Amino acid sequence: MKVIAAYLLAVLGGNTSPSSADIKNILGSVGAEAEDERIELLLSEVGGKDITELIAAGREKLASVPAGGGGGIAVSAAAPASGAGGAAAAPAAEPKKEEKVEEKEESDDDMGFSLFD
């Protein structure tokens, strides 16, 4: 990742085709070590290509990757059942969770003592 970040920094700085030395210089300026193998692999993969096209292609690929998490599962399970109505039901479940958390906080107040008494 640091090699890719250094490459992108060089491109953002105006160097449309950074060399291995440019990447090593950027990494060296922050005290990071550069691995020649990884730099050469990156340069061979992106050499001669426009960075904006590469980023756009990467975004398309990432769009098909499942992100996981609880919200995505609930929406995907509800969506086939009733379409947009199922998606509206998922956000309604979240305030209920918040209310339960608030009830726990209120029940702490009812215990008759404070942490600092």
Side-chain angles (χ1 to χ4, degrees), residues 34-116:
E35 298 176 16
D36 291 332
E37 266 182 30
R38 293 186 186 262
I39 293 173
E40 293 305 322
L41 176 65
L42 174 69
L43 293 177
S44 68
E45 292 291 324
V46 299
K49 298 178 184 175
D50 182 36
I51 194 68
T52 56
E53 291 175 6
L54 289 172
I55 291 172
R59 283 187 180 172
E60 289 176 14
K61 289 179 182 179
L62 284 176
S64 65
V65 175
I73 294 171
V75 171
S76 65
S82 62
E94 291 180 23
K96 291 179 184 177
K97 291 179 183 177
E98 291 176 12
E99 290 174 10
K100 289 179 182 176
V101 172
E102 290 175 9
E103 289 174 9
K104 288 181 182 179
E105 291 175 7
E106 290 173 5
S107 66
D108 290 343
D109 293 339
D110 295 336
M111 295 179 81
F113 66 92
S114 173
L115 181 62
F116 300 106

Side-chain angles (χ1 to χ4, degrees), residues 15-39:
N15 187 350
T16 55
S17 62
S19 67
S20 178
D22 296 329
I23 294 173
K24 286 181 185 179
N25 187 24
I26 292 170
L27 291 173
S29 70
V30 295
E33 293 185 20
E35 298 176 16
D36 291 332
E37 266 182 30
R38 293 186 186 262
I39 293 173

